[in-house]
């Protein structure tokens, strides 16, 4: 498996706190990696470390399997926090600055990028007159200059209208599909993130607490009867033998998830109780992806 | 590095601040020449001598006798262009906007994430700012020549003028390189446009006074020590060396001061840029 990004025990300490705490992150080449966390969890710091804006306190970063980060970062396009733009210049001039910075010979690259992000009609307008959404699009255009292999986008759909969000989503999906660009992005609009990403990482208090694929997430979000028992006892026998339920799984904390006969909660409860299994709770569970993320991030706080 | 420089010069020539500072430089030059015209019209030679002596005596100017001379023309006014600190102030303000402005608008992040070494990014900024400062000075000099010639005439060219002028310009360019370097370092350390402009004005207004106070304290505590810190303040050295009759010691002092300010500023600025995170 080829990785676009691998970090090993990456640490960034700010006075008095860990912003990034021994993070081992793996982003497979070609993936769209959705990075999730509350404000201040360490998402932006992690992205700043990857893009070279911040220096790690310890640990290592490999980009495309290499530790020569400056060389590999030439293959990256980044937009961290807010798009870094020159307000007194036009969009074209802003792109021109970065076209020159990257040494891109093709002058039409500027027009091409403006067209890709839907700003072709506003290219001659000064950036200070742009709306937040337009600035975001221009920031993405700058990140896309030079046909990067790896995009790092921090909250790229912030401030975009619904149409803009859809455009950016389609653009990112297209880039990933057609050009095999790896995308590492964070967003607070989790519903939107779930439409784009195929792998996720959740960060909390600087620690990467979970990494999973879209398929794993779908599985975790399936609707089920979640039954919390005092002890496991003979509950599995009751389910299989007495009730004929085979589609279930067992979680470590004496919890069962039953994926069939969801309408028979009362009957299942009664059968378990009759067999001396003390049921602490039984509830229909399952949510959309956003709900799952919120539970995961919020739940871990307690 | 060449790509970074190309981008820096593109930004420089698209920079509104650069053109405003250039116009201000021309404006400052015109005001300076009109002031001399006013002096020439209003004051008799005797009054100018008395005023000059009074100002030198009170320490208000280090080159009073040259400011209040009786014959004004391009040849005599040209060296005086550097005596006031308007050139240095404009260089400092432009540097604050050009360098610290990159941090304020976040553009430095976009540049720093493009895979260039921190040293090349800082060096390209350093070089482009030095070139901008030189352009400002050249425009100041050209406008001095034009307006002084229009108002007073060029004047008689003394013997050895070309070589004296070459040495004078060399010292002034080295010193102005020191000035721009100093303010690049300050902008890199402060990283905030408003803060940098405030510090620039503060330095221009209060540093000479603070240095003079330090001199007084040193003289009081160590009367045998012949040290005057204020005489090494770069703007003071610029004023001191604003003459076509540069002695070898003044020439050396000007060159060494300019080079040392440039070197120290580069080292401090580069070290800070290398080590600190970019926000």
């Amino acid at each position: 498996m080829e990785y676009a990004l691998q970090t090993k025990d990456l640490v960034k300490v700010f006075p008095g706190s860990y912003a990034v705490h021994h993070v081992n992150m793996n982003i497979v080449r070609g993936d769209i990696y959705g990075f999730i966390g509350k404000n201040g969890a360490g998402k932006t710091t992690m992205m700043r470390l990857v893009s070279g804006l911040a220096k790690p306190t310890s640990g290592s970063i490999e980009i495309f399997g290499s530790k020569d980060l400056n060389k590999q970062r030439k293959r990256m396009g980044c937009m961290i926090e807010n798009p870094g733009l020159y307000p007194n210049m036009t969009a074209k001039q802003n792109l021109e600055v970065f076209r020159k910075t990257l040494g891109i010979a093709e002058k039409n690259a500027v027009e091409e990028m403006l067209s890709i992000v839907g700003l072709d009609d506003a290219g001659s307008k000064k950036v200070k007159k742009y709306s937040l959404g337009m600035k975001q699009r221009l920031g993405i255009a700058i990140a896309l200059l030079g046909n990067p292999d790896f995009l790092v986008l921090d909250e790229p759909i912030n401030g975009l209208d619904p149409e803009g969000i859809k455009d950016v989503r389609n653009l990112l999906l297209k880039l990933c599909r057609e050009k095999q660009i790896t995308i590492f992005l964070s967003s607070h609009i989790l519903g939107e993130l779930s439409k784009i990403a195929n792998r996720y990482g959740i960060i909390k208090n600087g620690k990467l607490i979970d990494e999973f694929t879209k398929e794993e997430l779908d599985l975790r979000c399936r609707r089920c009867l979640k039954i919390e028992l005092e002890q496991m006892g003979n509950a599995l026998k009751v389910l299989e033998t007495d009730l004929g339920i085979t589609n279930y799984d067992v979680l470590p904390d004496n919890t069962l998830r039953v994926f069939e006969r969801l309408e028979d909660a009362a009957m299942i409860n009664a059968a378990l109780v009759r067999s001396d299994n003390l049921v602490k709770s039984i509830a229909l569970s399952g949510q959309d992806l956003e709900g799952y993320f919120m539970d995961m991030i919020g739940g871990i706080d307690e | 590095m060449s790509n970074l420089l190309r981008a820096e010069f593109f930004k420089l020539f698209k920079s509104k601040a650069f053109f405003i500072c250039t116009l201000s430089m021309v404006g400052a030059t015109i005001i300076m020449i009109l002031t001399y015209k006013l002096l020439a019209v209003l004051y008799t030679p005797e009054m100018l001598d008395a005023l000059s002596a009074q100002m030198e005596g009170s320490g208000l100017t280090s080159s009073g006798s040259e400011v209040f001379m009786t014959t004004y023309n391009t040849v005599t006014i040209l060296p005086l262009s550097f005596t006031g600190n308007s050139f240095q102030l404009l260089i400092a303000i432009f540097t604050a906007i050009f360098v610290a402005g990159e941090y304020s608008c976040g553009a430095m992040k976009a540049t720093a994430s493009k895979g260039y070494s921190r040293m090349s990014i800082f060096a390209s900024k350093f070089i482009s700012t030095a070139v901008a400062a030189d352009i400002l000075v050249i425009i100041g000099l050209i406008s001095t020549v034009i307006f002084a010639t229009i108002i007073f005439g060029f004047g008689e060219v003394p013997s050895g003028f070309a070589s004296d002028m070459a040495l004078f310009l060399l010292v002034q360019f080295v010193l102005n390189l020191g000035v721009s370097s100093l303010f690049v370092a300050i902008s890199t350390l402060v990283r905030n446009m408003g803060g940098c402009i405030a510090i620039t004005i503060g330095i221009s207004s209060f540093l000479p006074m603070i240095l003079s106070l330090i001199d007084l304290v040193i003289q009081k505590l160590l009367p045998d020590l012949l040290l005057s810190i204020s005489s090494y303040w770069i703007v003071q050295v610029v004023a001191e060396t604003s003459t076509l009759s540069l002695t070898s010691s003044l020439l050396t002092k000007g060159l060494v001061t300019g080079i040392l300010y440039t070197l120290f500023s580069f080292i401090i600025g580069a070290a800070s840029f290398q080590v600190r995170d970019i926000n």
Side-chain angles (χ1 to χ4, degrees), chain A residues 5-10 23-26 46 50 60-62:
Chain A
L5 174 73
Q6 278 188 296
T7 67
K8 289 193 182 98
D9 278 329
L10 195 62
V23 168
N24 295 298
M25 177 182 274
N26 299 294
M46 186 68 197
V50 172
S60 68
I61 300 172
E62 283 184 22

Side-chain angles (χ1 to χ4, degrees), chain A residues 65-78:
Chain A
S66 166
K67 285 189 176 174
D68 184 354
L69 298 181
N70 278 343
K71 189 178 170 192
Q72 298 307 321
R73 281 182 184 129
K74 290 199 192 317
R75 300 168 65 184
M76 282 170 59
C78 305

Side-chain angles (χ1 to χ4, degrees), chain B residues 23-275:
Chain B
L23 285 176
S24 305
M25 188 66 92
V26 175
T29 307
I30 294 171
I31 290 169
M32 178 187 74
I33 291 162
L34 289 177
T35 308
Y36 291 138
K37 180 69 180 171
L38 211 61
L39 284 171
V41 169
L42 294 178
Y43 286 81
T44 62
E46 294 74 27
M47 287 166 75
L48 286 176
D49 284 347
L51 191 59
S52 168
Q54 196 183 341
M55 291 194 80
E56 273 198 71
S58 63
L60 286 175
T61 170
S62 62
S63 53
S65 55
E66 288 185 38
V67 173
F68 298 105
M69 62 197 153
T70 50
T71 312
Y72 291 107
N73 56 45
T74 305
V75 172
T76 56
I77 286 177
L78 199 55
L80 303 181
S81 319
F82 292 92
T83 50
N85 61 1
S86 56
F87 277 25
Q88 293 76 41
L89 192 63
L90 283 170
I91 289 172
I93 289 173
F94 168 71
T95 307
I97 296 169
F98 191 59
V99 180
E102 293 258 325
Y103 294 97
S104 295
C105 71
M108 185 55 86
K109 280 188 300 187
T111 309
S113 63
K114 297 290 179 201
Y116 287 101
S117 71
R118 294 274 181 102
M119 184 56 90
S120 350
I121 296 171
F122 180 76
S124 64
K125 205 79 197 162
F126 195 87
I127 293 167
S128 57
T129 312
V131 171
D134 281 345
I135 293 172
L136 284 174
V137 170
I138 289 167
I139 285 170
L141 289 173
I142 291 172
S143 47
T144 304
V145 170
I146 293 170
F147 293 109
T149 307
I150 291 170
I151 292 176
F152 295 108
F154 196 82
E156 199 179 319
V157 177
S159 64
F161 176 77
S163 58
D164 286 350
M165 183 52 86
L167 278 180
F168 164 75
L169 289 177
L170 172 71
V171 173
Q172 292 304 328
F173 277 107
V174 170
L175 283 167
N176 278 298
L177 177 64
V179 172
S180 77
S181 308
L182 174 69
F183 288 104
V184 168
I186 290 172
S187 302
T188 308
L189 290 170
V190 177
R191 298 181 173 197
N192 175 286
M193 198 163 72
C196 278
I197 292 173
I199 287 173
T200 297
I201 292 167
I203 284 178
S204 306
S205 311
F206 302 115
L207 194 65
M209 207 170 13
I210 293 167
L211 293 177
S212 299
L213 280 173
I214 293 171
D215 280 349
L216 279 174
V217 172
I218 292 172
Q219 273 172 29
K220 187 83 180 166
L221 295 176
L222 305 160
D224 297 332
L225 189 68
L226 293 170
L227 176 71
S228 167
I229 291 176
S230 62
S231 69
Y232 292 96
W233 167 232
I234 194 159
V235 178
Q236 176 70 26
V237 180
V238 170
E240 268 180 58
T241 53
S242 295
T243 170
L244 288 179
S245 326
L246 279 171
T247 60
S248 62
S249 65
L250 212 48
L251 179 70
T252 312
K253 184 180 178 181
L255 290 175
V256 169
T257 307
I259 291 167
L260 286 180
Y261 268 79
T262 306
L263 278 178
F264 279 119
S265 302
F266 185 88
I267 291 166
I268 290 166
S272 162
F273 191 69
Q274 193 82 15
V275 171

Side-chain angles (χ1 to χ4, degrees), chain A residues 260-293:
Chain A
E260 58 183 300
R261 294 175 63 182
L262 303 183
E263 66 286 359
D264 292 336
M267 190 204 290
I268 294 170
N269 183 30
L272 286 168
V273 172
R274 270 199 307 274
S275 311
D276 296 329
N277 294 289
L278 197 56
V279 177
K280 285 166 76 178
S281 69
I282 182 163
L284 194 60
S285 174
Q287 55 214 151
D288 62 6
L289 301 177
E290 187 170 343
Y292 175 79
F293 288 135

Side-chain angles (χ1 to χ4, degrees), chain A residues 12 14 48 51-55 70-71 73-74 76 78 80-89 93 96-98 100-103 128 142-143, chain B residues 2-4 6-8 10-12 14-16 102 105-118 125 273-279:
Chain A
K12 178 69 180 176
F14 289 138
R48 286 163 48 76
S51 57
L53 300 178
K55 306 222 168 186
N70 278 343
K71 189 178 170 192
R73 281 182 184 129
K74 290 199 192 317
M76 282 170 59
C78 305
I80 311 290
E81 290 171 308
N82 45 5
L85 305 169
Y86 298 98
N88 286 314
M89 289 188 192
Q93 288 169 342
E96 192 63 23
V97 168
F98 292 101
K100 287 178 190 291
T101 302
L102 291 168
K128 65 182 173 190
I142 290 171
Chain B
S2 60
N3 291 335
L4 283 169
R6 262 194 287 274
E8 286 300 326
F10 179 82
K11 280 185 270 181
L12 177 65
K14 295 286 175 200
S15 161
K16 205 171 165 183
E102 293 258 325
C105 71
M108 185 55 86
K109 280 188 300 187
T111 309
S113 63
K114 297 290 179 201
Y116 287 101
S117 71
R118 294 274 181 102
K125 205 79 197 162
F273 191 69
Q274 193 82 15
V275 171
R276 286 168 65 193
D277 293 346
I278 296 169
N279 295 310

